Amino acid sequence: AQSVAQPEDQVNVAEGNPLTVKCTYSVSGNPYLFWYVQYPNRGLQFLLKYITGDNLVKGSYGFEAEFNKSQTSFHLKKPSALVSDSALYFCAVRDGGGSNDYKLSFGAGTTVTVRA
Amino acid sequence: EAEVAQSPRYKITEKSQAVAFWCDPISGHATLYWYRQILGQGPELLVQFQDESVVDDSQLPKDRFSAERLKGVDSTLKIQPAELGDSAMYLCASSPNRGRSYNEQFFGPGTRLTVL
C-alpha cells in the first residue's frame, strides 16, 4: 500500500518570505514523488517530480522540493513567496516498482495563503 | 500546448438521474485516468485505462458508475442513478508511456457535479 500525509491543512506566509509545504510518504518500493497545484475550480497543474538522481528537484514557478529518504519526506519549498502562489497544493506518490500501474496516491492537500 | 479536454465543466442534476462526463486526453497518451475529488480532499482514482483496456477499477462503484474508452482515445464516465453523495469534482488525466514526461499525469479542468 502507498500513502501520503500532508500534516498542515493551511500554511500562511507573507509575500517575500520563504514558503514550505510539508509531505511525508509511505510506499513499499522506490518512491516516485510529485507535487501538483490546484487553483479554484481548476484541474491540477504539475509542479515537479522526483524519480531518481539529485535529492533537490527544481520545478515550475520557482518551486523546488527535497527528497529525504531517511525521513520519507518530500517537502515543497519556495525561497520567496508571491501572492499569486496562493492555492491548494497536493503531494502524490506512486510505487516505482517497474509495473505499468501508474496509480498515484494523493495527500489531502495544503491550502497556501500568501498575504501582501 | 496540448491539454486534456473535459465537458461539461459544470453539471447540476437531481438524484436518481443519469449523468455523463466526457474526456479527450492529450494526443498520443495511452493511459487515461478518472478521479473523483470531494471538496477538501485529494483526488481518488476511480478507473485507469491503458489504451481501451481497464487496468484498475477497484475503486469504481460499479453498481452505478461505468466508464468506457472504446477506441482507446476519448472516454466517457457515467453515473446512473446519481446520488447526493456523488457531488464532487470529476477529474480526467492522461499520461504518456515514454518520453520526457513519462510518469507525469496531465489533468483536465474537471467537471463539477452537483446532485440535488
Side-chain angles (χ1 to χ4, degrees):
Chain A
Q2 57 193 39
S3 64
V4 169
Q6 294 182 241
E8 299 162 316
D9 291 337
Q10 292 193 353
V11 170
N12 299 306
V13 297
E15 189 172 35
N17 282 1
L19 169 64
T20 299
V21 186
K22 295 180 181 178
C23 169
T24 58
Y25 66 89
S26 174
V27 67
S28 56
N30 292 325
Y32 288 7
L33 294 154
F34 304 81
W35 276 101
Y36 286 85
V37 60
Q38 186 177 33
Y39 296 96
N41 291 314
R42 300 290 299 277
L44 277 65
Q45 295 179 32
F46 170 81
L47 282 179
L48 51 78
K49 67 181 177 183
Y50 171 84
I51 304 297
T52 186
D54 289 341
N55 290 343
L56 184 62
V57 178
K58 294 187 183 297
S60 307
Y61 313 118
F63 283 95
E64 58 188 30
E66 186 167 11
F67 170 64
N68 188 317
K69 187 174 183 178
S70 63
Q71 297 184 6
T72 61
S73 67
F74 190 56
H75 301 330
L76 181 70
K77 299 180 181 181
K78 186 170 184 179
S80 179
L82 301 172
V83 172
S84 57
D85 294 327
S86 299
L88 183 57
Y89 291 80
F90 289 100
C91 182
V93 68
R94 65 161 278 230
D95 190 332
S99 72
N100 287 324
D101 179 1
Y102 303 117
K103 179 178 179 178
L104 282 180
S105 295
F106 286 85
T110 299
T111 300
V112 170
T113 302
V114 182
R115 60 186 184 276
Chain B
E1 184 174 324
E3 295 181 341
V4 176
Q6 287 187 250
S7 67
R9 292 292 310 279
Y10 302 91
K11 179 69 177 178
I12 300 173
T13 190
E14 293 184 346
K15 66 178 183 179
S16 80
Q17 297 298 304
V19 293
F21 313 133
W22 177 79
C23 172
D24 191 12
I26 293 173
S27 178
H29 283 193
T31 310
L32 184 146
Y33 315 80
W34 282 102
Y35 288 89
R36 177 171 58 187
Q37 184 182 17
I38 296 171
L39 192 64
Q41 299 181 19
E44 283 186 296
L45 181 69
L46 290 175
V47 62
Q48 176 184 340
F49 289 93
Q50 180 70 24
D51 299 310
E52 68 276 8
S53 300
V54 173
V55 173
D56 184 350
D57 64 356
S58 57
Q59 300 302 310
L60 188 71
K62 298 181 187 64
D63 57 333
R64 298 185 300 107
F65 286 64
S66 65
E68 60 183 18
R69 193 184 184 198
L70 293 176
K71 296 182 179 180
V73 181
D74 58 338
S75 176
T76 302
L77 178 69
K78 298 180 180 177
I79 307 175
Q80 183 173 17
E83 295 181 353
L84 296 178
D86 296 333
S87 295
M89 175 79 88
Y90 290 83
L91 296 166
C92 179
S94 68
S95 61
N97 286 4
R98 60 181 63 84
R100 190 172 66 91
S101 297
Y102 177 65
N103 283 307
E104 293 176 31
Q105 294 187 20
F106 297 80
F107 284 80
T111 296
R112 180 162 296 283
L113 172 67
T114 302
V115 182
L116 304 175

